[in-house]
C-alpha cells in the first residue's frame, strides 16, 4: 500500500519522482528555480515551455531524462521526439534515456523492463513494451507526418537546437527557424 501510494505521488510530483527514482542524478537539494521548472513541466495546460538555467544546473537531466522517463513509465504520452542540433546528439540523448530506464534498479524493481520483445530498440527509434515510441531527430530532419499506429508525436523535447554553424549567418538562422 505504501509503495502504491508513493508511485501515485511520484506521478503528480516531479521533484519527488526525481529524488525517488533518480537519487544518483539528483543528489543535491532542489532550489526554488528547480521547483519552478517542475511546476511548469507539471502544468498540462501549457503547450510550449522554454526553460533557461545556468550550466551545471541539472536542466538537461530533468528535461532529457527525468521528464520523458516519467511520461514513459506512467504512459502519459504516446510518441516522444527528442530534438537536438544534430541527429547524433539527439540519439545520444535518447540512448541516455533508454539506458536510464533499463538499468536503474529503482525503475526495474517498480516498473519492470520497458523493452518491447517485438522492437529491436535501435538507436534511430525505439518503442517501449507499452507502445510508446521514441524518435530522436536532429535539426533539419523530417518529423512532419510521423505516426505510430494512430498516434502522432505528442511530446517534443528540444535541447541545444543551435550549433556554432547554425548561428554563423542570418541565412543559416533563417533556415533553422523555417525548419523549426
Amino acid at each position: 500500500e505504501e509503495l502504491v501510494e508513493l508511485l501515485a505521488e511520484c506521478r503528480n510530483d516531479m521533484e519527488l519522482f526525481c529524488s525517488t527514482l533518480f537519487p544518483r542524478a539528483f543528489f543535491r537539494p532542489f532550489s526554488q528555480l528547480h521547483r519552478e521548472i517542475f511546476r511548469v513541466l507539471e502544468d498540462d495546460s501549457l503547450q510550449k515551455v522554454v526553460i533557461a538555467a545556468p550550466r551545471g544546473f541539472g536542466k538537461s537531466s530533468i528535461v532529457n531524462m527525468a521528464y520523458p522517463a516519467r511520461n514513459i513509465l506512467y504512459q502519459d504520452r504516446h510518441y516522444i521526439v527528442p530534438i537536438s542540433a544534430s541527429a547524433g546528439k539527439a540519439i545520444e540523448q535518447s540512448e541516455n534515456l533508454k539506458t536510464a530506464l533499463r538499468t536503474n534498479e529503482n525503475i526495474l524493481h517498480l516498473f519492470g523492463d520497458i523493452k518491447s520483445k517485438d522492437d529491436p530498440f535501435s538507436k534511430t527509434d525505439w518503442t517501449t513494451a507499452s507502445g510508446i515510441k521514441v524518435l530522436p531527430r536532429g535539426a533539419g530532419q523530417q518529423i512532419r507526418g510521423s505516426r505510430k499506429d494512430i498516434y502522432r508525436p505528442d511530446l517534443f523535447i528540444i535541447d541545444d537546437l543551435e550549433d556554432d554553424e547554425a548561428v554563423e549567418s542570418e541565412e543559416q538562422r533563417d533556415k533553422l527557424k523555417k525548419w523549426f
Side-chain angles (χ1 to χ4, degrees):
E1 278 184 39
E2 286 179 29
L3 188 56
V4 170
E5 189 175 312
L6 176 63
L7 288 173
E9 288 177 31
C10 283
R11 181 179 198 159
N12 299 314
D13 185 334
M14 194 69 197
E15 181 176 349
L16 182 63
F17 178 85
C18 289
S19 59
T20 301
L21 293 176
F22 294 101
R24 290 180 54 211
F26 303 105
F27 54 89
R28 293 188 181 130
F30 292 115
S31 69
Q32 192 56 41
L33 182 54
H34 286 107
R35 289 186 186 91
E36 179 63 19
I37 291 170
F38 295 146
R39 186 194 66 72
V40 167
L41 292 174
E42 291 168 344
D43 188 343
D44 291 333
S45 71
L46 300 174
Q47 296 220 340
K48 297 176 185 174
V49 174
V50 175
I51 297 172
R55 286 225 174 269
F57 185 77
K59 64 187 171 299
S60 290
S61 294
I62 293 168
V63 174
N64 293 329
M65 182 184 60
Y67 183 64
R70 188 178 75 161
N71 279 281
I72 288 169
L73 295 172
Y74 288 102
Q75 300 175 33
D76 290 333
R77 304 293 177 149
H78 302 284
Y79 198 140
I80 300 172
V81 182
I83 302 172
S84 196
S86 69
K89 186 66 177 164
I91 287 170
E92 179 183 314
Q93 291 169 352
S94 171
E95 287 295 296
N96 287 340
L97 171 62
K98 187 192 309 180
T99 299
L101 289 168
R102 297 210 59 221
T103 63
N104 181 309
E105 292 178 18
N106 295 333
I107 290 172
L108 290 171
H109 176 71
L110 296 170
F111 295 92
D113 191 0
I114 57 116
K115 184 181 184 307
S116 169
K117 291 176 178 56
D118 302 326
D119 188 88
F121 250 41
S122 76
K123 290 184 177 192
T124 56
D125 70 275
W126 45 282
T127 303
T128 67
S130 61
I132 299 165
K133 184 175 182 87
V134 178
L135 179 70
R137 285 291 179 253
Q141 283 191 290
Q142 181 67 32
I143 298 171
R144 187 180 207 137
S146 297
R147 291 178 72 134
K148 165 72 170 98
D149 300 324
I150 62 169
Y151 301 107
R152 295 198 182 270
D154 56 358
L155 177 61
F156 296 93
I157 299 173
I158 302 160
D159 189 30
D160 293 332
L161 185 61
E162 300 170 321
D163 60 15
D164 292 340
E165 184 181 320
V167 297
E168 271 183 9
S169 70
E170 188 160 345
E171 182 181 323
Q172 289 284 44
R173 290 189 297 271
D174 287 344
K175 183 179 174 183
L176 181 62
K177 184 177 181 180
K178 184 178 179 186
W179 172 82
F180 185 75

